[in-house]
Amino acid sequence: MTTIRLTEAQKDLLNRATGILEGVLGRRLSQGEAVEALATFALRNRALLASSSKDSARSLENDPFYDMSIVFAMGKTDELTVDKVLYGT
């Protein structure tokens, strides 16, 4: 067993996906079961995922605010510093 950190938006997406899975399966699912089902779906549908990532990559190339040359130098960081920057905790 492990713990994963999710933002509120990610939690909302997981809850919505869980609701869809529960409707299809006709039973309640734990979050672990929902994550497992979504991961299994992703592994079985690699071609579908690959085609969607190509579409998003194309849209980023045309985005004037997407610049891979921008780099942030934070110096030495530990896990707590990264959590503060990313999650505000």
Side-chain angles (χ1 to χ4, degrees), residues 17-82:
T18 302
I20 293 169
L21 289 169
E22 288 174 348
V24 170
L25 298 174
R27 65 179 181 89
R28 303 242 340 134
L29 296 173
S30 69
Q31 285 185 335
E33 290 172 320
V35 170
E36 179 184 15
L38 293 168
T40 301
F41 177 84
L43 291 172
R44 289 182 182 162
N45 295 283
R46 291 178 182 173
L48 178 64
L49 293 173
S51 67
S52 69
S53 67
K54 288 177 187 172
D55 293 339
S56 65
R58 268 190 233 115
S59 65
L60 288 177
E61 291 170 357
N62 298 329
D63 187 348
F65 293 106
Y66 183 73
D67 187 355
M68 287 297 293
S69 66
I70 298 173
V71 178
F72 295 94
M74 295 177 54
K76 288 187 176 183
T77 58
D78 59 0
E79 186 177 322
L80 293 175
T81 305
V82 173

Side-chain angles (χ1 to χ4, degrees), residues 8-22:
E8 288 301 318
Q10 291 169 329
K11 287 178 189 176
D12 182 52
L13 283 174
L14 180 58
N15 288 335
R16 289 172 41 202
T18 302
I20 293 169
L21 289 169
E22 288 174 348

